[in-house]
Every structure is written in C-alpha cells, then in structure tokens.
Amino acid sequence: MRAITFDKDLPAKIDAEQLKRETGFDVSVQSGGYVERNGVREEIAPSVTFHVPFDEEIGTLEDKLAAHVAEEKPQPDENPERAALLKLLDDPEVIAKINKLKSTKI
Amino acid sequence: MASLIEGALATHSVVSVTGIINTTSTSYINYTSASVAATARAGDVVLLIGNMRVSASGASVRTMMQFTEDASVVGQPSSYVAYRTDTGGEDGTIANFEIHAPSAGAHTYRLQWKNSTGTCYSAGAYLIALMLRES
C-alpha cells in the first residue's frame, strides 16, 4: 500500500466515508490546522490522502476527488418561508412600502 | 538504568499537530504531520512519548495508535473505544510511551493510527523523541 495525498484547492470539509464509498479506498482527511515542530509553527492546508495499492493510477484518484469536491456545493435554504421572505426583502418596491409604513403615524 | 540517567545528555524533537483529521483506514497509516527526525549515536536510547485526542463515527469503534521508527513498528499499540458518535476528535485520549535502542544514524519517528470500522477523528496529537546518551 502507498499513501497519495492531494492538497490543492480543497474545501475544509470533506466526507471521508462517502469518498471511501465512491473510490473503494481508505481515505484520511486533514481539515487544515497547524503543526508546531521543534518550536516552528506552520499552517497545514486541507488535504485528502488515499491509501491505495502500489499500481493504482493517480489520475483516476484525481478525477474521483474532483468529482466529489464538485458535489460539495452549498445547500439551498431549506426553510421555504424564510427563503421567500428574504426574496421579498430584495424587492425595491417592498422596501419602499416598508419604509413608508415606518414613517406613517398611527 | 540508574547509571544511564545520572550521566545522561538528552536531545529531543517534538511535534504538535492541531486541526481536525479523520481516517477510514482499518490498517495503520501515518497520522498527518506527526513525525519527528532524530539522530542517534551508537549506544543511545530513545524515549518516545505520544498522545492523540480522538472520537469516532459510532459507539464501540476502536481507534489504535502505534509508533514507528522509519518503516518499523516500535513497541506495543495503545487504543481507545468510543462510547458515542462524535466528529470533534476530543472524546478521549490515547497515550503511548516506549523506550527503544535505535541503530546509529538518522531516524524518522512517526505516530500511526487506524480504526476498527467507520471513521475515527482527531483534533490533535503530539510526539516527542527524547534521545538519551551517556556523557
């Protein structure tokens, strides 16, 4: 077995178990942080390490990792009422009506 | 042993790693960045001290750690069995201590870890290699 690490342009959060299911290989994920070696501190970039047989193609792993990262998109707002309200607040006409109401003496 | 300690000189290397790391590996793999280099002279003795904070993806998942010198395992592993699901990497601590007589020359000492199933998480670790030699 050998360890192949990728550390370029990765998000801080990657689901290791899902990536293991997708690739079939054991995975280690480093979410970033720092290492202090003999008093010298260095930042650690997020990285993914695959533990694979010696004959595994690196290009195949790169493709699978890229596909996995592409799926890690931000989730849409799951509360439809909140999403509708936020959309309304982007409407200039609605804002104008709210401001008019705020200035109206009851 | 007393005569060794009384006249001993010590050199040490230490690494401390902070940041969430996890692995799905059920065979031992290197803990990212947890390695130190140390050079031994003939007759030196190295004291290895290691520690990692861990949690796991489910109750009863066992996380184990061991030391290596270059490509060889040093001593016995230590373990932790999770009591719950947690991804924070700080539910328990695995500590290990070994004393070992290295061959003369440069060596790299590492922490390795593995789990029994699922995923194990760690929020940090440290490794110290304390090289003792008679003055």
Side-chain angles (χ1 to χ4, degrees):
Chain A
M1 298 290 280
R2 64 172 174 160
I4 299 175
T5 299
F6 299 96
D7 61 1
K8 301 293 183 193
D9 304 323
L10 293 175
K13 191 172 184 181
I14 288 179
D15 187 330
E17 287 194 59
Q18 187 182 339
L19 197 52
K20 179 180 181 178
R21 286 193 295 273
E22 290 171 0
T23 62
F25 299 120
D26 279 321
V27 179
S28 298
V29 174
Q30 167 64 258
S31 303
Y34 62 89
V35 57
E36 190 169 310
R37 181 173 280 106
N38 295 327
V40 179
R41 180 167 161 157
E42 297 172 19
E43 298 293 323
I44 306 175
S47 67
V48 173
T49 301
F50 292 98
H51 309 284
V52 300
F54 282 100
D55 58 353
E56 181 63 24
E57 295 279 342
I58 293 178
T60 307
L61 290 174
E62 276 181 325
D63 293 344
K64 288 181 176 177
L65 178 59
H68 178 83
V69 170
E71 288 174 5
E72 297 272 327
K73 293 175 182 171
Q75 295 298 311
D77 199 320
E78 293 177 357
N79 184 336
E81 290 179 357
R82 182 173 178 273
L85 183 58
L86 288 173
K87 192 176 178 183
L88 273 178
L89 291 175
D90 280 340
D91 187 333
E93 286 187 22
V94 174
I95 298 297
K97 286 178 182 175
I98 291 173
N99 287 335
K100 189 176 177 183
L101 281 171
K102 283 165 68 179
S103 62
T104 303
K105 290 184 179 177
I106 300 174
Chain B
M1 183 61 72
S3 62
L4 172 67
I5 298 298
E6 283 170 7
L9 292 173
T11 61
H12 73 277
S13 295
V14 57
V15 63
S16 176
V17 186
T18 303
I20 298 291
I21 181 175
N22 64 64
T23 187
T24 64
S25 182
T26 52
S27 55
Y28 280 108
I29 48 112
N30 294 335
Y31 187 108
T32 304
S33 301
S35 66
V36 296
T39 300
R41 297 180 190 171
D44 282 0
V45 172
V46 64
L47 174 62
L48 298 171
I49 303 169
N51 164 302
M52 64 175 68
R53 307 190 300 283
V54 294
S55 66
S57 59
S60 300
V61 173
R62 179 187 295 110
T63 305
M64 300 185 76
M65 71 171 272
Q66 68 179 13
F67 297 122
T68 59
E69 178 192 68
D70 306 321
S72 302
V73 176
V74 177
Q76 297 276 345
S78 296
S79 63
Y80 168 81
V81 176
Y83 67 95
R84 64 167 184 167
T85 298
D86 184 77
T87 61
E90 296 194 298
D91 272 359
T93 298
I94 307 177
N96 205 347
F97 314 88
E98 293 289 347
I99 194 157
H100 170 69
S103 60
H107 297 287
T108 300
Y109 296 94
R110 288 188 171 86
L111 281 185
Q112 291 192 323
W113 66 328
K114 69 174 184 175
N115 67 342
S116 57
T117 184
T119 307
C120 55
Y121 301 84
S122 177
Y126 72 75
L127 171 63
I128 298 170
L130 182 64
M131 199 68 74
L132 302 169
R133 68 180 54 120
E134 288 188 273
S135 57

